[in-house]
């Protein structure tokens, strides 16, 4: 077959003649059967072979378990095969470097090989003593040794809420707040004041809390607490001052605060001289100097009362102070003050009441002090005193009421001591209730200084019949 217009080439058209030439005979029917069932069987066989061939190719091309899939191009569709399951290790494996022993680790000594005869030898038997000798007695392995065992450390007993046969009448927590004046909000005092420090060779804990009675009635705390450090380094001086206002006096809390303010100002201005006297153990100069500062501070308090129109004898406070040098080489502790309260020392598990007492009168009567004798040395009888009150002379000033004596004590602390300075609210139950003293001894004799919250709980252990404000400062010696 050729295109139109082409010339015949002869032998190129032979295949066309052989195919469509009339002389070629028909092949006739096929020798095999050609029924409907035969065609279905042939088609089913053909399809089965193609499926088997496709599954074989799929198994051949399927990735091996654990093998990473080949990356695909962005335009290629994702694979229809489900991804292989991923197993997450329970714990990360350490790096290979950590599993290798270090190179500089010394090798263990080589153990010489033992012969079979050495391994079968019986254990060595200790030599038996000769006849007539006594073998030394060896203590059994479980027998106690003669060396004394160290004593067990004391355990701190748990804190308690009250001491005695029953709880006090008032609630243990504050109930009513004191009234406030909008023009004098600076007069408000908190229910509890807590402070602490550590310097030199001692640790300080101080607290002042309103009593159960004042908490119930909504009265302000009449106790005031002041802790101050004057100076720096080993030359510093720490002052702890506490004051208690007179009971039933309006503005008693202000009087206590002013007393602490005046004594703190006086000590702060003279702290260098006071520190030298303490380190040099000049007891006489120290006592006279502190007495002048105390009288001057209380005198300013009385002068302020007169300016406010209050009674100077009522607008006053009991003042008690403690001076602590920051120099660790100086263990002298100085107490001074005026009024009621307590000074205690816990040493070797026992409480010692070291409150200084006023000097007792002793010896012969002297002029201006004591009472006159009933007769003269010559035996003359004196005129009988009928007890008639003599009117005061207009030319002589009226006698002032007796004041509280000045108290002073300088003591040397020892390692392990605990010095406790407190107001009457804690000093009275500590003297009258042995159970309270035993409880504080057990709590403070363990060798550990309590924290601020623990010290607050210890000093506020209630005793029935004692509901006044409590102010205390404790010093633990290292």
């Amino acid at each position: 077959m050729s295109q139109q217009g082409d010339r015949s080439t002869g032998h190129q058209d032979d295949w066309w003649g052989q195919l469509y030439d009339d002389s070629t005979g028909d092949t006739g029917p096929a020798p095999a059967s050609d029924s409907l069932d035969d065609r279905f069987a042939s088609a089913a066989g053909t399809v089965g072979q193609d499926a088997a061939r496709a599954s074989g190719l799929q198994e051949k091309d399927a990735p091996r378990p654990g093998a990473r899939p080949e990356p695909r191009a962005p335009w290629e569709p994702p694979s229809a095969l489900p991804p292989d399951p991923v197993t997450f290790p329970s714990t990360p494996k350490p790096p290979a470097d950590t599993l290798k022993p270090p190179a500089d680790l010394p090798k263990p000594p080589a153990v010489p090989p033992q012969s079979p005869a050495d391994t079968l030898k019986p254990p060595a038997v200790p030599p038996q003593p000769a006849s007539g000798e006594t073998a030394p007695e060896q203590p059994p392995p479980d027998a106690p040794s003669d060396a004394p065992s160290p004593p067990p450390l004391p355990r701190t007993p748990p804190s308690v809420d009250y001491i005695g046969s029953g709880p006090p009448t008032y609630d243990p927590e504050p109930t009513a707040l004191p009234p406030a004046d909008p023009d004098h909000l600076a007069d408000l005092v908190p229910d509890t004041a807590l402070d602490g420090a550590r310097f030199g060779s001692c640790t300080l804990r101080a607290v002042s809390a309103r009593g159960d009675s004042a908490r119930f009635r909504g009265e302000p705390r009449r106790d005031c607490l002041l802790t101050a450090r004057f100076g720096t380094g080993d030359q510093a001086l720490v002052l702890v001052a506490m004051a208690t206002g007179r009971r039933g006096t309006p503005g008693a809390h202000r009087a206590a605060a002013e007393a602490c303010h005046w004594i703190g100002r006086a000590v702060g201005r003279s702290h260098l001289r006071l520190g030298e006297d303490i380190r040099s153990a000049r007891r006489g100069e120290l006592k006279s100097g502190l007495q002048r500062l105390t009288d001057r501070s209380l005198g300013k308090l009385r002068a302020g009362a007169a300016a406010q129109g209050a009674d100077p004898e009522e607008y006053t406070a009991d003042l008690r102070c403690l001076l602590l040098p920051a120099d660790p080489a100086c263990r002298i502790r100085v107490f001074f003050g005026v009024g009621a309260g307590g000074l205690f020392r816990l040493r070797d598990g026992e409480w010692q009441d070291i409150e200084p007492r006023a000097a007792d009168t002793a010896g012969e009567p002297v002029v201006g002090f004591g009472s006159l004798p009933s007769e003269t040395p010559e035996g003359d009888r004196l005129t009988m005193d009928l007890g008639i009150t003599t009117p005061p002379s207009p030319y002589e000033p009226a006698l002032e009421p007796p004041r509280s004596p000045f108290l002073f004590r300088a003591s040397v602390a020892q390692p392990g001591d605990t010095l406790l300075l407190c107001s009457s609210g804690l000093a009275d139950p500590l003297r009258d209730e042995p159970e309270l003293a035993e409880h504080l001894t057990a709590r403070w004799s363990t060798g550990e200084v309590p924290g601020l919250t623990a010290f607050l709980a210890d000093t506020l252990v209630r005793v029935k019949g004692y509901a006044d404000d409590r102010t205390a400062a404790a010093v633990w010696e290292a």
Side-chain angles (χ1 to χ4, degrees):
M1 184 175 182
S2 62
Q3 296 182 358
Q4 186 176 1
D6 291 343
R7 291 180 303 174
S8 174
T9 55
H11 64 275
Q12 295 179 355
D13 296 334
D14 291 344
W15 65 272
W16 179 264
Q18 294 177 3
L19 180 62
Y20 293 100
D21 191 9
D22 294 336
S23 61
T24 304
D26 192 4
T27 58
S33 58
D34 192 16
S35 62
L36 181 60
D37 294 337
D38 295 337
R39 292 190 178 187
F40 177 79
S42 175
T46 304
V47 172
Q49 292 178 1
D50 294 342
R53 187 181 301 105
S55 61
L57 293 175
Q58 181 177 1
E59 293 178 359
K60 181 179 180 180
D61 298 339
R64 292 174 297 174
R68 300 182 62 181
E70 297 181 359
R72 61 182 179 86
W75 58 82
E76 294 181 357
S79 176
L81 299 178
D84 294 335
V86 180
T87 303
F88 295 93
S90 57
T91 55
K93 295 182 179 180
D97 296 340
T98 59
L99 300 179
K100 297 180 180 180
D104 56 350
L105 186 67
K107 296 183 179 181
V111 180
Q114 297 182 357
S115 60
D118 296 337
T119 58
L120 299 180
K121 289 182 179 180
V125 180
Q128 299 294 333
S131 58
E133 298 181 1
T134 305
E137 298 182 359
Q138 298 183 359
D142 297 337
S145 60
D146 297 338
S149 59
L153 296 177
R155 295 183 178 180
T156 304
S159 181
V160 296
D161 180 52
Y162 63 89
I163 292 294
S165 58
T169 305
Y170 300 104
D171 293 335
E173 300 298 334
T175 303
L177 288 173
D181 186 353
D183 297 330
H184 300 85
L185 295 179
D187 293 342
L188 296 177
V189 292
D191 177 87
T192 304
L194 189 62
D195 203 355
R198 183 172 55 190
F199 50 89
S201 60
C202 57
T203 304
L204 172 66
R205 298 287 182 264
V207 64
S208 181
R210 197 162 49 138
D212 292 345
S213 177
R215 287 177 171 179
F216 179 77
R217 292 182 170 86
E219 298 176 353
R221 173 165 50 91
R222 294 184 294 112
D223 282 6
C224 181
L225 173 66
L226 171 67
T227 54
R229 176 180 61 88
F230 303 106
T232 58
D234 294 344
Q235 306 298 322
L237 187 64
V238 177
L239 168 67
V240 180
M242 57 185 67
T244 303
R246 191 68 58 88
R247 185 191 302 275
T249 302
H253 62 288
R254 288 194 298 269
E258 290 180 12
C260 290
H261 169 77
W262 288 119
I263 194 62
R265 186 176 182 180
V267 171
R269 291 179 174 179
S270 307
H271 76 277
L272 292 177
R273 176 64 181 275
L274 293 173
E276 287 182 9
D277 292 342
I278 293 176
R279 287 187 294 270
S280 302
R282 301 170 187 159
R283 187 180 185 278
E285 291 84 348
L286 193 60
K287 180 179 180 181
S288 60
L290 292 175
Q291 186 170 3
R292 286 194 303 270
L293 296 180
T294 304
D295 293 342
R296 192 178 306 168
S297 301
L298 296 180
K300 291 182 178 180
L301 182 62
R302 289 189 293 269
Q308 298 176 13
D311 186 1
E313 302 303 327
E314 296 294 331
Y315 194 80
T316 184
D318 295 336
L319 181 63
R320 307 175 67 79
C321 304
L322 195 63
L323 291 179
L324 307 170
D327 188 356
C330 181
R331 290 186 175 268
I332 299 178
R333 312 295 178 236
V334 178
F335 158 76
F336 68 97
V338 173
L343 181 65
F344 305 92
R345 180 172 58 198
L346 180 61
R347 176 175 290 178
D348 298 332
E350 294 183 359
W351 283 106
Q352 301 173 1
D353 191 348
I354 58 176
E355 174 80 8
R357 309 297 180 184
D360 297 332
T361 303
E364 296 289 336
V366 297
V367 177
F369 192 90
S371 59
L372 295 176
S374 59
E375 60 182 14
T376 62
E378 291 78 11
D380 296 336
R381 304 289 296 181
L382 299 178
T383 304
M384 182 183 300
D385 186 6
L386 300 178
I388 301 175
T389 304
T390 303
S393 174
Y395 305 102
E396 296 180 0
L399 297 177
E400 295 182 358
R403 304 187 186 278
S404 301
F406 177 75
L407 304 176
F408 175 85
R409 185 183 183 91
S411 59
V412 179
Q414 297 181 5
D417 287 355
T418 301
L419 186 65
L420 176 64
L421 175 67
C422 56
S423 62
S424 299
L426 181 59
D428 293 344
L430 192 59
R431 290 190 179 106
D432 300 339
E433 297 294 334
E435 191 174 353
L436 177 61
E438 295 174 359
H439 174 71
L440 294 182
T441 301
R443 293 278 298 176
W444 295 352
S445 297
T446 59
E448 296 181 1
V449 180
L452 292 179
T453 54
F455 180 73
L456 174 64
D458 293 341
T459 53
L460 294 188
V461 174
R462 303 188 300 154
V463 182
K464 195 170 185 178
Y466 301 90
D468 290 340
D469 298 347
R470 290 188 180 184
T471 303
V475 181
W476 276 264
E477 301 290 342

PDB file of all heavy atoms in Angstrom, residues 363-382:
ATOM      1  N   GLY A 363      21.858  47.226 159.059  1.00  0.00           N
ATOM      2  CA  GLY A 363      22.753  48.065 159.859  1.00  0.00           C
ATOM      3  C   GLY A 363      21.985  49.051 160.718  1.00  0.00           C
ATOM      4  O   GLY A 363      20.762  49.004 160.846  1.00  0.00           O
ATOM      5  N   GLU A 364      22.739  49.972 161.372  1.00  0.00           N
ATOM      6  CA  GLU A 364      22.155  50.954 162.264  1.00  0.00           C
ATOM      7  C   GLU A 364      21.381  52.008 161.478  1.00  0.00           C
ATOM      8  O   GLU A 364      21.704  52.306 160.334  1.00  0.00           O
ATOM      9  CB  GLU A 364      23.271  51.633 163.070  1.00  0.00           C
ATOM     10  CG  GLU A 364      24.020  50.683 163.982  1.00  0.00           C
ATOM     11  CD  GLU A 364      23.171  50.243 165.148  1.00  0.00           C
ATOM     12  OE1 GLU A 364      22.238  50.996 165.492  1.00  0.00           O
ATOM     13  OE2 GLU A 364      23.421  49.164 165.684  1.00  0.00           O
ATOM     14  N   PRO A 365      20.316  52.589 162.094  1.00  0.00           N
ATOM     15  CA  PRO A 365      19.613  53.671 161.426  1.00  0.00           C
ATOM     16  C   PRO A 365      20.512  54.875 161.265  1.00  0.00           C
ATOM     17  O   PRO A 365      21.364  55.156 162.088  1.00  0.00           O
ATOM     18  CB  PRO A 365      18.458  53.969 162.377  1.00  0.00           C
ATOM     19  CG  PRO A 365      18.306  52.759 163.211  1.00  0.00           C
ATOM     20  CD  PRO A 365      19.671  52.188 163.359  1.00  0.00           C
ATOM     21  N   VAL A 366      20.347  55.571 160.164  1.00  0.00           N
ATOM     22  CA  VAL A 366      21.150  56.750 159.877  1.00  0.00           C
ATOM     23  C   VAL A 366      20.228  57.941 159.725  1.00  0.00           C
ATOM     24  O   VAL A 366      18.993  57.812 159.645  1.00  0.00           O
ATOM     25  CB  VAL A 366      21.984  56.563 158.587  1.00  0.00           C
ATOM     26  CG1 VAL A 366      22.976  55.440 158.752  1.00  0.00           C
ATOM     27  CG2 VAL A 366      21.065  56.275 157.402  1.00  0.00           C
ATOM     28  N   VAL A 367      20.804  59.114 159.716  1.00  0.00           N
ATOM     29  CA  VAL A 367      20.014  60.336 159.628  1.00  0.00           C
ATOM     30  C   VAL A 367      19.309  60.399 158.283  1.00  0.00           C
ATOM     31  O   VAL A 367      19.937  60.233 157.228  1.00  0.00           O
ATOM     32  CB  VAL A 367      20.923  61.562 159.827  1.00  0.00           C
ATOM     33  CG1 VAL A 367      20.110  62.842 159.669  1.00  0.00           C
ATOM     34  CG2 VAL A 367      21.577  61.503 161.179  1.00  0.00           C
ATOM     35  N   GLY A 368      18.010  60.639 158.361  1.00  0.00           N
ATOM     36  CA  GLY A 368      17.229  60.739 157.126  1.00  0.00           C
ATOM     37  C   GLY A 368      16.821  59.409 156.547  1.00  0.00           C
ATOM     38  O   GLY A 368      16.237  59.363 155.472  1.00  0.00           O
ATOM     39  N   PHE A 369      17.100  58.297 157.197  1.00  0.00           N
ATOM     40  CA  PHE A 369      16.718  56.977 156.665  1.00  0.00           C
ATOM     41  C   PHE A 369      16.339  56.089 157.835  1.00  0.00           C
ATOM     42  O   PHE A 369      17.063  56.002 158.810  1.00  0.00           O
ATOM     43  CB  PHE A 369      17.878  56.356 155.884  1.00  0.00           C
ATOM     44  CG  PHE A 369      17.462  55.144 155.085  1.00  0.00           C
ATOM     45  CD1 PHE A 369      17.017  55.286 153.798  1.00  0.00           C
ATOM     46  CD2 PHE A 369      17.509  53.885 155.643  1.00  0.00           C
ATOM     47  CE1 PHE A 369      16.637  54.178 153.074  1.00  0.00           C
ATOM     48  CE2 PHE A 369      17.121  52.780 154.935  1.00  0.00           C
ATOM     49  CZ  PHE A 369      16.682  52.921 153.638  1.00  0.00           C
ATOM     50  N   GLY A 370      15.213  55.447 157.809  1.00  0.00           N
ATOM     51  CA  GLY A 370      14.776  54.561 158.872  1.00  0.00           C
ATOM     52  C   GLY A 370      14.016  55.319 159.955  1.00  0.00           C
ATOM     53  O   GLY A 370      13.659  56.498 159.815  1.00  0.00           O
ATOM     54  N   SER A 371      13.741  54.658 161.067  1.00  0.00           N
ATOM     55  CA  SER A 371      12.981  55.250 162.171  1.00  0.00           C
ATOM     56  C   SER A 371      13.917  55.596 163.323  1.00  0.00           C
ATOM     57  O   SER A 371      14.987  55.008 163.485  1.00  0.00           O
ATOM     58  CB  SER A 371      11.905  54.270 162.647  1.00  0.00           C
ATOM     59  OG  SER A 371      12.509  53.063 163.063  1.00  0.00           O
ATOM     60  N   LEU A 372      13.489  56.582 164.154  1.00  0.00           N
ATOM     61  CA  LEU A 372      14.296  57.003 165.290  1.00  0.00           C
ATOM     62  C   LEU A 372      14.191  55.990 166.425  1.00  0.00           C
ATOM     63  O   LEU A 372      13.162  55.308 166.570  1.00  0.00           O
ATOM     64  CB  LEU A 372      13.811  58.371 165.768  1.00  0.00           C
ATOM     65  CG  LEU A 372      14.007  59.529 164.767  1.00  0.00           C
ATOM     66  CD1 LEU A 372      13.387  60.804 165.332  1.00  0.00           C
ATOM     67  CD2 LEU A 372      15.472  59.725 164.468  1.00  0.00           C
ATOM     68  N   PRO A 373      15.220  55.862 167.259  1.00  0.00           N
ATOM     69  CA  PRO A 373      15.132  54.925 168.396  1.00  0.00           C
ATOM     70  C   PRO A 373      14.145  55.450 169.440  1.00  0.00           C
ATOM     71  O   PRO A 373      13.802  56.631 169.474  1.00  0.00           O
ATOM     72  CB  PRO A 373      16.563  54.885 168.930  1.00  0.00           C
ATOM     73  CG  PRO A 373      17.155  56.174 168.509  1.00  0.00           C
ATOM     74  CD  PRO A 373      16.525  56.522 167.204  1.00  0.00           C
ATOM     75  N   SER A 374      13.671  54.552 170.321  1.00  0.00           N
ATOM     76  CA  SER A 374      12.692  54.945 171.348  1.00  0.00           C
ATOM     77  C   SER A 374      13.310  55.762 172.472  1.00  0.00           C
ATOM     78  O   SER A 374      12.583  56.437 173.219  1.00  0.00           O
ATOM     79  CB  SER A 374      12.026  53.687 171.936  1.00  0.00           C
ATOM     80  OG  SER A 374      13.013  52.847 172.508  1.00  0.00           O
ATOM     81  N   GLU A 375      14.630  55.738 172.638  1.00  0.00           N
ATOM     82  CA  GLU A 375      15.285  56.513 173.691  1.00  0.00           C
ATOM     83  C   GLU A 375      16.703  56.840 173.265  1.00  0.00           C
ATOM     84  O   GLU A 375      17.252  56.211 172.361  1.00  0.00           O
ATOM     85  CB  GLU A 375      15.302  55.736 175.000  1.00  0.00           C
ATOM     86  CG  GLU A 375      16.039  54.412 174.922  1.00  0.00           C
ATOM     87  CD  GLU A 375      15.996  53.638 176.214  1.00  0.00           C
ATOM     88  OE1 GLU A 375      15.189  53.971 177.093  1.00  0.00           O
ATOM     89  OE2 GLU A 375      16.770  52.660 176.318  1.00  0.00           O
ATOM     90  N   THR A 376      17.290  57.858 173.933  1.00  0.00           N
ATOM     91  CA  THR A 376      18.649  58.258 173.620  1.00  0.00           C
ATOM     92  C   THR A 376      19.621  57.296 174.255  1.00  0.00           C
ATOM     93  O   THR A 376      19.271  56.490 175.142  1.00  0.00           O
ATOM     94  CB  THR A 376      18.891  59.675 174.160  1.00  0.00           C
ATOM     95  OG1 THR A 376      18.751  59.655 175.583  1.00  0.00           O
ATOM     96  CG2 THR A 376      17.885  60.664 173.554  1.00  0.00           C
ATOM     97  N   PRO A 377      20.912  57.326 173.847  1.00  0.00           N
ATOM     98  CA  PRO A 377      21.899  56.447 174.488  1.00  0.00           C
ATOM     99  C   PRO A 377      22.017  56.685 175.992  1.00  0.00           C
ATOM    100  O   PRO A 377      22.410  55.765 176.720  1.00  0.00           O
ATOM    101  CB  PRO A 377      23.192  56.789 173.760  1.00  0.00           C
ATOM    102  CG  PRO A 377      22.760  57.281 172.431  1.00  0.00           C
ATOM    103  CD  PRO A 377      21.479  58.013 172.669  1.00  0.00           C
ATOM    104  N   GLU A 378      21.677  57.885 176.445  1.00  0.00           N
ATOM    105  CA  GLU A 378      21.746  58.141 177.897  1.00  0.00           C
ATOM    106  C   GLU A 378      20.531  57.625 178.645  1.00  0.00           C
ATOM    107  O   GLU A 378      20.479  57.671 179.870  1.00  0.00           O
ATOM    108  CB  GLU A 378      21.886  59.644 178.127  1.00  0.00           C
ATOM    109  CG  GLU A 378      23.229  60.235 177.697  1.00  0.00           C
ATOM    110  CD  GLU A 378      23.307  60.433 176.212  1.00  0.00           C
ATOM    111  OE1 GLU A 378      22.246  60.308 175.521  1.00  0.00           O
ATOM    112  OE2 GLU A 378      24.403  60.700 175.675  1.00  0.00           O
ATOM    113  N   GLY A 379      19.508  57.162 177.954  1.00  0.00           N
ATOM    114  CA  GLY A 379      18.333  56.617 178.596  1.00  0.00           C
ATOM    115  C   GLY A 379      17.154  57.559 178.674  1.00  0.00           C
ATOM    116  O   GLY A 379      16.126  57.206 179.258  1.00  0.00           O
ATOM    117  N   ASP A 380      17.249  58.758 178.095  1.00  0.00           N
ATOM    118  CA  ASP A 380      16.120  59.688 178.129  1.00  0.00           C
ATOM    119  C   ASP A 380      15.047  59.218 177.146  1.00  0.00           C
ATOM    120  O   ASP A 380      15.332  58.890 175.984  1.00  0.00           O
ATOM    121  CB  ASP A 380      16.594  61.098 177.762  1.00  0.00           C
ATOM    122  CG  ASP A 380      17.582  61.640 178.783  1.00  0.00           C
ATOM    123  OD1 ASP A 380      17.539  61.168 179.923  1.00  0.00           O
ATOM    124  OD2 ASP A 380      18.404  62.515 178.414  1.00  0.00           O
ATOM    125  N   ARG A 381      13.811  59.208 177.662  1.00  0.00           N
ATOM    126  CA  ARG A 381      12.682  58.808 176.821  1.00  0.00           C
ATOM    127  C   ARG A 381      12.280  59.974 175.910  1.00  0.00           C
ATOM    128  O   ARG A 381      12.325  61.137 176.305  1.00  0.00           O
ATOM    129  CB  ARG A 381      11.492  58.415 177.672  1.00  0.00           C
ATOM    130  CG  ARG A 381      11.774  57.311 178.698  1.00  0.00           C
ATOM    131  CD  ARG A 381      11.967  55.954 178.053  1.00  0.00           C
ATOM    132  NE  ARG A 381      10.767  55.479 177.382  1.00  0.00           N
ATOM    133  CZ  ARG A 381      10.680  54.306 176.751  1.00  0.00           C
ATOM    134  NH1 ARG A 381      11.759  53.512 176.672  1.00  0.00           N
ATOM    135  NH2 ARG A 381       9.565  53.933 176.192  1.00  0.00           N
ATOM    136  N   LEU A 382      11.899  59.657 174.709  1.00  0.00           N
ATOM    137  CA  LEU A 382      11.473  60.679 173.770  1.00  0.00           C
ATOM    138  C   LEU A 382       9.958  60.846 173.831  1.00  0.00           C
ATOM    139  O   LEU A 382       9.235  60.009 174.378  1.00  0.00           O
ATOM    140  CB  LEU A 382      11.892  60.305 172.347  1.00  0.00           C
ATOM    141  CG  LEU A 382      13.410  60.152 172.119  1.00  0.00           C
ATOM    142  CD1 LEU A 382      13.666  59.737 170.678  1.00  0.00           C
ATOM    143  CD2 LEU A 382      14.143  61.446 172.461  1.00  0.00           C
TER     144      LEU A 382
END
